Amino acid sequence: MTDALLTVASPVFTIGGKAIGDLARDCVRLIVDEGVEGLRTMEAHFIASGIGNPGPPGPMLHVDGSEFDFGSAIEVVLGADGDQFVVFDGAVSGIEVVLGDSEPPRVVMLAEDSLMRLRMTRRMRTYTDITDAEVVRRIAHEHGLDADVSADGPRYDVLQQVNQSDLAFLRERARLLQTDVWCSEHTLHFCDRPARRGEKVTLTHGSDLIEGRISADLAHQHTDVIVSGYDARAKAVIDERAGSQTIEAEASAGRTGPQVLERALGASSGIRVREVPQTSAEASAWARAEMLRRSRSFVTASGLTRGTPKLAVGSQLRLELVGQPFDGDGYYVTRVTHTYDNVRGLRTSFEAERPTLNEVA
C-alpha cells in the first residue's frame, strides 16, 4: 500500500510572492532546520537538467537568475492540501552547482531567515544603564525589524559587545536569562518560554511517530543553584540562590528533576562560575536562569515523524504510547528539522524537553 504522504507533501516554493512550479517539480531534497537559539536555515536541491536543458556541456536549469537570485525573498510551504504550513520564510543567501559522476547535475539553493542580517553584522560596542529588553529593541530597530520582548532581566550599568555579531550577542543575552530568540516575518522575538505560544501537537508511537528516544537523567540536576560575586559599589558580597520552586512554578503535574534528585540521592547545590555578577540583581537573574536550564532538560525526547509540518520550535508537544513515565503533555520543542526527498517523502525530526516525570503507580 502506498503511503499517501509521499504523493501530496512535496514542497511549494514562492519566490518574491510568486509560486514557482518548476522548483517543486525538480526538488529532490529539502532541509529546513531551526533551534531555540534562532536562525532558521534552508537547503534545497533541484535537478538541473531537463527537456531543452541537457546540462553540461549544454545549458542548465535554475541557474540563470530568472527564478531566484541572491537576496530573493523565499517562502516554503509543506503539508497535504488543506493542512499546509509555512516552514520557512527568508532570503536566498547561497547558490551551488553539484556535478556528480553518472548522475544529473543539481543546483542547490541556500537560504536563511531575517536573523541573517544580525549574523552578518559584527560590532565593538558598549551599552550603559540598559536592560536586555532595551538592547533587543535597539538592535531590532537598527535592522528594520519590529521587536517582541517578554523577558524579565536586571538593569546593567555596563554591557559590552566585544567583536560579536548582533545575533551572537543576543544569543548570549538569551542564554543568561534562558529566553528564546527567533524571527518571524519582520519581528524579532526575545521571549520567555511561557510567552511563546506554539502549536499544540500530539505524536503517537506506532502512528505518526516512527522513531523516538526519551530519557530522564539526574546527571545535571541540582536542588538549588548558587551565583556569587562582589558588589564593589555596595562593598558587599553577592550570594544569590534559586531553588526547586523556580521550575515548580512552570512545570505541570509530575516529579521535577530536583524533587527526584533529593529523594533518590539527597540535596545537591550547583555553583555557577562562568560569569561574575556585579550586582545582586544580576546574580539572582542568572541563578534563576541556570536552575531553569537544568530543570527543563530533566526529561529529553528526540524522534522522527512521518512528516509534521506544523511542528516547530516552541510547539507544545504531547507524546502518547511512549511509556507510562513519559506519556502526556508538557514537552517543549527545542529543535526541528523538516526534510523532503523523492524517495522517502516528507520526514520531521525533533528534539524536545520536559521538566517532569510522571508518577508511576
Side-chain angles (χ1 to χ4, degrees):
M1 177 177 176
T2 302
D3 190 340
L5 289 175
L6 298 181
T7 62
V8 300
S10 57
V12 177
F13 296 90
T14 301
I15 308 291
K18 180 182 177 181
I20 308 297
D22 289 351
L23 294 180
R25 177 199 66 198
D26 295 336
C27 181
V28 292
R29 183 161 177 78
L30 173 73
I31 305 170
V32 177
D33 181 72
E34 183 187 18
V36 289
E37 69 278 3
L39 189 63
R40 187 175 298 187
T41 62
M42 188 211 69
E43 177 180 325
H45 296 237
F46 307 100
I47 294 295
S49 61
I51 298 175
N53 296 271
M60 297 171 59
L61 295 168
H62 313 308
V63 291
D64 62 359
S66 62
E67 296 168 328
F68 60 87
D69 204 344
F70 293 101
S72 295
I74 177 170
E75 180 182 277
V76 181
V77 173
L78 288 174
D81 291 341
D83 193 29
Q84 296 179 315
F85 288 84
V86 176
V87 297
F88 182 82
D89 181 9
V92 176
S93 59
I95 301 171
E96 300 177 355
V97 172
V98 179
L99 306 172
D101 182 20
S102 302
E103 62 181 31
R106 287 176 287 128
V107 170
V108 180
M109 177 204 298
L110 306 174
E112 300 179 9
D113 70 13
S114 296
L115 290 179
M116 174 174 60
R117 288 176 288 176
L118 280 68
R119 179 184 63 76
M120 299 175 70
T121 304
R122 187 175 293 272
R123 305 180 196 268
M124 297 280 290
R125 184 159 65 180
T126 299
Y127 301 87
T128 58
D129 187 27
I130 200 166
T131 65
D132 290 295
E134 290 167 350
V135 168
V136 174
R137 293 189 181 99
R138 177 171 171 177
I139 291 177
H141 176 74
E142 291 170 343
H143 290 278
L145 300 171
D146 297 326
D148 171 31
V149 182
S150 175
D152 183 22
R155 178 168 291 275
Y156 302 92
D157 290 337
V158 177
L159 283 181
Q160 289 186 310
Q161 183 177 348
V162 182
N163 194 27
Q164 291 174 295
S165 69
D166 285 349
L167 179 57
F169 185 59
L170 287 184
R171 284 173 169 174
E172 178 184 359
R173 307 317 308 165
R175 177 183 61 82
L176 287 169
L177 297 180
Q178 283 302 293
T179 62
D180 287 3
V181 176
W182 76 99
C183 199
S184 60
E185 297 181 345
H186 298 288
T187 300
L188 173 62
H189 302 270
F190 187 90
C191 297
D192 292 331
R193 286 192 180 180
R196 188 171 187 175
R197 302 297 182 184
E199 288 274 348
K200 293 184 178 180
V201 180
T202 298
L203 298 176
T204 303
H205 179 230
S207 177
D208 36 18
L209 181 61
I210 303 172
E211 301 173 3
R213 180 169 182 170
I214 307 97
S215 170
D217 194 343
L218 292 176
H220 301 289
Q221 296 299 302
H222 288 303
T223 51
D224 64 346
V225 169
I226 304 168
V227 175
S228 300
Y230 185 76
D231 188 331
R233 180 177 297 176
K235 297 182 179 180
V237 172
I238 298 171
D239 186 30
E240 296 292 335
R241 294 172 179 254
S244 59
Q245 70 278 4
T246 304
I247 192 62
E248 289 168 6
E250 185 177 293
S252 56
R255 299 172 290 162
T256 66
Q259 291 171 341
V260 174
L261 174 64
E262 187 163 19
R263 186 183 307 175
L265 302 175
S268 174
S269 297
I271 301 176
R272 182 169 182 160
V273 296
R274 181 171 178 177
E275 295 87 16
V276 179
Q278 304 299 311
T279 66
S280 292
E282 292 179 14
S284 178
W286 297 351
R288 175 182 178 276
E290 180 66 4
M291 193 66 188
L292 286 175
R293 183 185 72 84
R294 292 177 177 275
S295 301
R296 283 170 172 170
S297 61
F298 173 43
V299 177
T300 58
S302 60
L304 178 70
T305 81
R306 297 185 185 277
T308 313
K310 67 179 178 180
L311 193 65
V313 174
S315 290
Q316 302 172 51
L317 182 61
R318 176 182 176 85
L319 296 179
E320 296 184 347
L321 302 182
V322 295
Q324 186 178 352
F326 304 111
D327 274 339
D329 298 309
Y331 290 93
Y332 186 91
V333 177
T334 57
R335 177 163 294 280
V336 169
T337 304
H338 299 290
T339 61
Y340 168 85
D341 60 47
N342 55 1
V343 176
R344 298 198 308 166
L346 178 62
R347 293 289 185 266
T348 300
S349 61
F350 69 90
E351 296 175 8
E353 57 188 28
R354 188 174 79 170
T356 58
L357 194 65
N358 297 340
E359 296 283 357
V360 179

